[in-house]
Amino acid sequence: MISVDYSKVLDFINLNDLPRIGQEVTEIHYMLHKREGAGSEALGWLDWPIMDHKETIAKINACANRLRKISDVIIVIGIGGSYLGSRAGIEFLDNYFSDKKPEIVYAGHHLSSEYLCGMISHLKDKNFSLIVISKSGKTTEPAVYFRILKQILESKYSKEESKERIVVVTDPKSGILRNMANKEGYESFDIPENVGGRFSVLTACGLLPLACAGFDIKKILKGAEMAYQNFLNPDVLKNDCYKYAAIRNILYRYGHKIEIIANYEPKLNSLSEWWRQLFGESEGKNGMGLFVSKVGFTTDLHAIGQYIQDGERILFETVINVQKVNSSFYLPEDKEDADGLNYLLGKNLTEINNSALIGTMLAHIEGGVPNILINLQELSEEVFGYLVYFFKKACAISGYLLGVNPFNQPGVEAYKDNMFALLGKKGYEDLRKKIKQKGL
Amino acid sequence: MISVDYSKVLDFINLNDLPRIGQEVTEIHYMLHKREGAGSEALGWLDWPIMDHKETIAKINACANRLRKISDVIIVIGIGGSYLGSRAGIEFLDNYFSDKKPEIVYAGHHLSSEYLCGMISHLKDKNFSLIVISKSGKTTEPAVYFRILKQILESKYSKEESKERIVVVTDPKSGILRNMANKEGYESFDIPENVGGRFSVLTACGLLPLACAGFDIKKILKGAEMAYQNFLNPDVLKNDCYKYAAIRNILYRYGHKIEIIANYEPKLNSLSEWWRQLFGESEGKNGMGLFVSKVGFTTDLHAIGQYIQDGERILFETVINVQKVNSSFYLPEDKEDADGLNYLLGKNLTEINNSALIGTMLAHIEGGVPNILINLQELSEEVFGYLVYFFKKACAISGYLLGVNPFNQPGVEAYKDNMFALLGKKGYEDLRKKIKQKGL
């Protein structure tokens, strides 16, 4: 499915670093699997790929088929972990400029009024359905968008039909959305209590939108299961997933404060966004953690390539390469060679792109930027499932190596509290006073 | 047009820092305007807004109108500065989910074969035209895409009609594209020799695609002219543009190594990409410079918000706020208040978004992240022109403050050389041998 090449890092670390950190990694491995570490109440994702999901898969596929039949547009309402995973998967697997029906559209992942208005006029004369994804149902962005879009839906369809066009993915037992689903009879799916948002892509959170987009979710879980089996070895030297965690930790200790995830295929851009949440939210705490950033090459070689090559030497790159793409295109002949490109004849675009990748890695390494290379066999459902599990487990190991709880996100609450206070929500009166005293 | 609020930075710097750096800024101001600094052969952009562009504007508009009439799709081929500026402007001004004709599509900004194949099938049964933008005409990505798309165009239309469907933006006198345009009789526009790629958005580079998308380029230049006039004061305390340059430099000296540009309106996402090239490529040299990163809020508050709040304290944020949006949407009533949002009744989405902005700034400042706030009056052509000039001039001052030549990009060549060697281009035989010896 994937292979990882760490050879372009060796010049930047000590030969003993990996064996030295290996003991620590092995201990963390056992702590993780015995569920003895911080945040281990949120380890539902760990054995997820080897659990039996037959029934859920059948139910998701049935629901997706139903929605696909009645919808020109399916709107997926969610933010953070309830948004990034499904989008990452769909863009990973979909064709560019796809005019497939139904169209998958995202909402509730910000508060833009402009976006909402554009969407509403886009929906005119189209049949649409809503999938609303939120564990608590309380998160402001998706809740606001859901209330608005639900009203539009209900003004377009009969009460009965509206109910068939709303599907809820939320906590199995409690919360606003669960109560709504129970009361109104919406079809619903569970986000298990013990799976955090950014670790939820292999639950209905990610799988329902992916199935709606026409992809084979069984294969995604199959890929994740292979990753589960392949990354069980407690020995860092024999476990590429743990090695990724260890090496990023070693590089961080050496002062590489920024990890850039790079790809050469824009289909991976949303995967990079998902990755950024996974690692940024898991590790960025207590004044520590790698700052995670993403680039799409070769586009960004003409944007921040200069900085990477020659700016502050506080970076390293994790480069994702797709080995086999679905389509390849040879440069056509031009007898006059007016553009001077004939030296590329007989080479397809993928080979040229691959030379850019190798050439860039060489240049960046020479410029002082360690490079980790992750090769993906192809852009398939199995590889997607495999890759997300690889990153999730690496993230858990990496967070523990850093000494943080990789499964909480206390810092995300701060802005919400201020926002609630400013908006006059009940229970935030004291904070509101405090803010107003500051003259804001 | 715009106002800048530096009050949320003052707690992080010394009272004397600004006056102290002021002398330096004033000297740089005179050096810049007298064209005595490093790279001053590339200062064509500086007085650009007060030069007479009537003729060019008329010619661009005539060409755009012609292309708009004959095209369902206009493909803009370019990378880096020949791509980011026009895309930034078009997304800044356009509606979401716009199904306006012609559709503007980008190409040659990477080497993805998958993208090309998707685009080709998208073009089927559609009338299309090509705008190819490249100063030298030599840059691999646009050159490859241009050769391929030109052949497809020529197989669809007659020789004569094909020529009318190709427009070239390139060097006024020499280079591959200029020669092609002369020989084939393509309509063409100039990229002045003394304007570098990332400073070229107000030339035909940016303006032709913007006019093709239906926007008023005269107003864009008008906005830039206002910025030109407003940011002429050599005194840093009386010049918001210079203050931006000075403050980011001061913060950098205090160890804030990363500048994050943040917005609360996804229409600004491509502007942030443009900004990232502008500053990253201008300053990231000699082992120095701020690492530039972008986020879109509130989306990314649920992705790297945790890191910003609580990770390594090496950041600051430049937040762009849109004061007046074109559309606003009030939360509809729900008598049962099943989602608990009724406390927001009477507030429109923009006010809620604005509370998120203020709440986030407060939280991040409290978390140790200085915040610069740039308020945009609205999303109009004038503001776009004003803003890009603001950033361009700030970038020049900032680069000189850092002690680098803000107008070159020597580090971008390194990957290209390796790539050419790997692809077997003439003149790169020695480098090819060297690379092969390394076993790559």
Side-chain angles (χ1 to χ4, degrees):
Chain A
M1 295 283 115
I2 76 171
S3 67
V4 193
D5 177 356
Y6 295 105
S7 64
K8 308 298 178 295
V9 172
L10 300 179
D11 286 351
F12 298 90
I13 65 176
N14 253 304
L15 256 181
N16 298 325
D17 288 332
L18 255 188
R20 201 181 299 144
I21 211 171
Q23 182 59 31
E24 223 179 309
V25 170
T26 302
E27 280 163 25
I28 288 170
H29 163 89
Y30 287 113
M31 184 178 82
L32 180 72
H33 279 278
K34 287 184 186 161
R35 293 167 162 71
E36 289 170 348
S40 60
E41 67 282 2
L43 285 179
W45 59 271
L46 185 63
D47 294 337
W48 189 260
I50 52 162
M51 286 162 63
D52 182 6
H53 300 294
K54 269 201 206 89
E55 230 173 277
T56 312
I57 291 175
K59 199 185 147 202
I60 290 175
N61 281 332
C63 174
N65 286 334
R66 185 174 68 73
L67 292 180
R68 284 166 66 82
K69 270 188 206 130
I70 58 171
S71 314
D72 303 310
V73 180
I74 297 175
I75 304 175
V76 179
I77 304 173
I79 196 168
S82 303
Y83 154 67
L84 292 161
S86 59
R87 186 163 194 167
I90 290 169
E91 293 186 7
F92 188 95
L93 296 167
D94 219 350
N95 290 329
Y96 291 103
F97 299 94
S98 163
D99 49 7
K100 273 195 324 203
K101 283 280 146 73
E103 179 190 9
I104 307 291
V105 152
Y106 305 90
H109 55 313
H110 50 59
L111 290 162
S112 167
S113 186
E114 300 274 281
Y115 184 86
L116 179 63
C117 288
M119 173 179 282
I120 289 170
S121 80
H122 181 67
L123 292 176
K124 220 185 143 212
D125 308 322
K126 291 193 181 81
N127 280 310
F128 68 99
S129 309
L130 306 177
I131 297 175
V132 53
I133 308 176
S134 174
K135 205 167 175 178
S136 67
K138 278 194 305 188
T139 309
T140 308
E141 293 88 340
V144 164
Y145 259 76
F146 180 49
R147 185 190 275 205
I148 294 169
L149 291 170
K150 187 161 89 81
Q151 284 224 352
I152 294 167
L153 187 93
E154 286 171 348
S155 70
K156 180 166 184 152
Y157 301 101
S158 72
K159 211 169 158 134
E160 268 326 290
E161 191 174 354
S162 293
K163 286 182 184 180
E164 281 170 21
R165 289 180 177 275
I166 294 174
V167 178
V168 162
V169 184
T170 189
D171 186 90
K173 290 188 201 136
S174 60
I176 287 170
L177 278 178
R178 176 53 58 197
N179 295 340
M180 273 187 171
N182 288 344
K183 198 181 153 206
E184 305 289 339
Y186 302 145
E187 181 161 14
S188 69
F189 293 88
D190 297 344
I191 308 175
E193 242 179 305
N194 60 355
V195 178
R198 60 187 175 276
F199 288 85
S200 70
V201 53
L202 298 171
T203 72
C205 261
L207 297 184
L208 178 60
L210 274 152
C212 286
F215 299 110
D216 188 338
I217 58 174
K218 215 171 138 184
K219 286 186 182 166
I220 294 175
L221 286 170
K222 181 82 204 152
E225 192 190 338
M226 289 171 66
Y228 176 91
Q229 303 295 354
N230 281 353
F231 301 121
L232 275 177
N233 197 319
D235 181 352
V236 74
L237 298 175
K238 294 176 184 155
N239 188 324
D240 268 344
C241 171
Y242 293 4
K243 218 188 263 183
Y244 176 59
I247 283 179
R248 59 197 300 285
N249 188 274
I250 293 166
L251 290 171
Y252 178 63
R253 293 183 196 185
Y254 280 127
H256 299 272
K257 302 268 191 193
I258 300 170
E259 178 175 11
I260 299 175
I261 194 160
N263 65 59
Y264 286 75
E265 170 51 62
K267 284 189 180 181
L268 301 179
N269 285 349
S270 282
L271 180 85
S272 297
E273 296 281 1
W274 171 84
W275 172 93
R276 209 166 59 121
Q277 182 198 19
L278 181 67
F279 283 94
E281 213 167 70
S282 299
E283 297 193 323
K285 30 196 90 148
N286 309 339
M288 295 188 295
L290 282 158
F291 182 79
V292 281
S293 191
K294 79 174 181 74
V295 294
F297 290 153
T298 60
T299 306
D300 283 330
L301 288 171
H302 297 252
I304 68 157
Q306 167 66 41
Y307 185 99
I308 297 173
Q309 189 66 46
D310 204 22
E312 286 240 1
R313 303 297 74 191
I314 52 173
L315 318 167
F316 72 92
E317 287 175 289
T318 296
V319 180
I320 307 197
N321 176 37
V322 182
Q323 291 183 304
K324 202 183 116 224
V325 295
N326 305 320
S327 54
S328 72
F329 211 100
Y330 285 83
L331 195 75
E333 211 179 335
D334 172 11
K335 277 185 191 147
E336 296 174 30
D337 197 21
D339 54 12
L341 291 180
N342 272 357
Y343 77 98
L344 296 173
L345 286 179
K347 293 205 164 65
N348 68 35
L349 214 50
T350 306
E351 291 172 87
I352 302 172
N353 202 9
N354 196 47
S355 296
L357 181 147
I358 298 173
T360 304
M361 282 187 63
L362 282 172
H364 289 181
I365 291 159
E366 219 158 291
V369 180
N371 267 236
I372 297 166
L373 176 63
I374 300 178
N375 290 302
L376 312 185
Q377 206 181 343
E378 58 184 11
L379 295 170
S380 65
E381 283 99 335
E382 287 90 342
V383 170
F384 179 72
Y386 193 97
L387 185 63
V388 295
Y389 191 83
F390 169 88
F391 278 133
K392 285 198 276 189
K393 198 168 193 194
C395 181
I397 302 286
S398 187
Y400 282 142
L401 271 173
L402 189 65
V404 301
N405 173 354
F407 307 112
N408 66 2
Q409 54 283 333
V412 179
E413 301 309 313
Y415 98 89
K416 290 187 193 169
D417 290 345
N418 289 335
M419 178 176 77
F420 292 146
L422 287 161
L423 289 169
K425 192 173 181 178
K426 254 189 201 163
Y428 293 85
E429 294 79 4
D430 288 352
L431 186 56
R432 185 181 171 85
K433 257 188 229 155
K434 245 166 100 182
I435 292 174
K436 292 287 167 195
Q437 277 163 5
K438 288 185 196 162
L440 281 150
Chain B
M1 296 281 116
I2 76 170
S3 67
V4 193
D5 178 356
Y6 295 105
S7 64
K8 308 299 178 296
V9 172
L10 300 179
D11 286 351
F12 298 91
I13 66 176
N14 252 303
L15 256 182
N16 298 325
D17 289 330
L18 255 188
R20 200 182 297 143
I21 210 170
Q23 183 59 32
E24 220 178 312
V25 169
T26 302
E27 282 163 24
I28 288 170
H29 163 89
Y30 288 113
M31 183 178 82
L32 180 71
H33 279 278
K34 287 183 186 162
R35 291 164 163 72
E36 290 171 348
S40 61
E41 67 283 359
L43 285 178
W45 59 272
L46 185 63
D47 294 338
W48 189 260
I50 54 161
M51 286 162 64
D52 183 5
H53 300 294
K54 269 202 205 89
E55 230 174 277
T56 312
I57 290 175
K59 200 185 145 200
I60 289 175
N61 280 333
C63 174
N65 286 334
R66 185 173 68 73
L67 292 181
R68 284 167 64 81
K69 267 184 208 135
I70 57 171
S71 315
D72 303 311
V73 180
I74 297 176
I75 305 175
V76 179
I77 303 174
I79 196 167
S82 303
Y83 153 68
L84 291 162
S86 60
R87 185 162 194 169
I90 290 170
E91 293 187 6
F92 188 95
L93 296 167
D94 219 350
N95 291 328
Y96 291 102
F97 298 95
S98 162
D99 49 8
K100 273 194 323 203
K101 284 276 143 81
E103 180 191 7
I104 307 290
V105 153
Y106 305 90
H109 54 313
H110 51 58
L111 291 162
S112 165
S113 184
E114 300 274 282
Y115 184 84
L116 178 63
C117 289
M119 173 180 282
I120 290 170
S121 81
H122 181 67
L123 292 175
K124 221 183 142 214
D125 307 322
K126 292 195 181 79
N127 280 309
F128 69 100
S129 309
L130 306 178
I131 297 174
V132 54
I133 308 176
S134 174
K135 208 168 173 177
S136 66
K138 278 195 305 189
T139 309
T140 309
E141 292 88 339
V144 164
Y145 259 77
F146 181 49
R147 183 188 277 205
I148 294 169
L149 291 169
K150 188 162 87 80
Q151 284 225 352
I152 293 168
L153 186 94
E154 287 171 346
S155 70
K156 180 166 184 152
Y157 302 101
S158 72
K159 214 173 155 134
E160 269 326 289
E161 191 174 352
S162 294
K163 286 181 183 180
E164 281 170 22
R165 290 181 176 272
I166 294 175
V167 178
V168 162
V169 184
T170 190
D171 186 88
K173 289 186 203 137
S174 61
I176 286 170
L177 277 178
R178 176 53 59 198
N179 296 341
M180 273 188 173
N182 288 344
K183 197 182 154 207
E184 305 289 341
Y186 302 143
E187 180 161 12
S188 69
F189 294 89
D190 296 345
I191 308 174
E193 242 181 304
N194 60 356
V195 179
R198 60 187 175 275
F199 288 85
S200 71
V201 52
L202 298 171
T203 72
C205 262
L207 297 184
L208 178 60
L210 273 152
C212 286
F215 299 111
D216 187 338
I217 59 173
K218 214 169 137 185
K219 288 187 181 165
I220 294 174
L221 285 170
K222 182 81 203 152
E225 192 189 339
M226 291 172 64
Y228 176 90
Q229 303 295 355
N230 281 353
F231 302 122
L232 275 177
N233 196 319
D235 182 350
V236 72
L237 298 174
K238 293 175 183 158
N239 188 324
D240 268 344
C241 172
Y242 293 3
K243 216 187 266 181
Y244 175 59
I247 283 179
R248 57 198 298 287
N249 189 272
I250 293 166
L251 289 171
Y252 178 63
R253 292 183 196 185
Y254 281 127
H256 299 270
K257 303 269 190 193
I258 299 170
E259 179 176 11
I260 299 175
I261 193 160
N263 66 58
Y264 285 76
E265 170 52 61
K267 284 188 180 181
L268 302 179
N269 284 348
S270 283
L271 180 86
S272 297
E273 297 280 0
W274 170 84
W275 172 94
R276 210 167 57 122
Q277 182 200 19
L278 181 67
F279 283 94
E281 212 167 71
S282 298
E283 298 195 321
K285 31 197 89 145
N286 309 339
M288 295 188 296
L290 281 158
F291 181 80
V292 281
S293 190
K294 79 175 180 72
V295 294
F297 289 155
T298 60
T299 307
D300 283 330
L301 288 172
H302 297 254
I304 69 156
Q306 167 67 40
Y307 184 99
I308 297 173
Q309 190 66 46
D310 204 20
E312 285 240 2
R313 302 299 73 190
I314 52 173
L315 319 168
F316 72 93
E317 286 175 288
T318 295
V319 180
I320 307 197
N321 176 36
V322 183
Q323 291 182 305
K324 203 184 115 222
V325 295
N326 304 320
S327 54
S328 72
F329 210 102
Y330 286 83
L331 196 75
E333 212 181 331
D334 172 10
K335 277 184 191 147
E336 295 174 27
D337 197 20
D339 54 13
L341 291 179
N342 272 356
Y343 78 100
L344 296 173
L345 286 178
K347 293 207 165 62
N348 67 36
L349 214 51
T350 306
E351 292 172 86
I352 302 172
N353 203 9
N354 196 46
S355 296
L357 181 146
I358 299 174
T360 303
M361 283 187 64
L362 282 172
H364 289 181
I365 292 159
E366 217 156 295
V369 181
N371 267 237
I372 296 166
L373 176 63
I374 300 179
N375 289 302
L376 311 186
Q377 207 181 342
E378 59 185 10
L379 295 171
S380 65
E381 282 99 336
E382 288 91 341
V383 170
F384 179 72
Y386 193 96
L387 185 63
V388 295
Y389 191 83
F390 169 89
F391 278 133
K392 284 199 274 190
K393 197 167 193 194
C395 181
I397 302 287
S398 187
Y400 283 140
L401 272 173
L402 189 65
V404 300
N405 174 355
F407 306 112
N408 67 1
Q409 54 283 334
V412 179
E413 301 309 313
Y415 97 88
K416 290 187 195 171
D417 290 345
N418 290 336
M419 180 176 74
F420 292 145
L422 288 161
L423 290 168
K425 193 173 181 177
K426 254 189 199 162
Y428 294 85
E429 294 78 4
D430 289 352
L431 187 56
R432 186 182 170 84
K433 255 187 232 155
K434 246 166 101 183
I435 292 174
K436 292 285 167 196
Q437 275 164 8
K438 287 186 194 159
L440 281 152

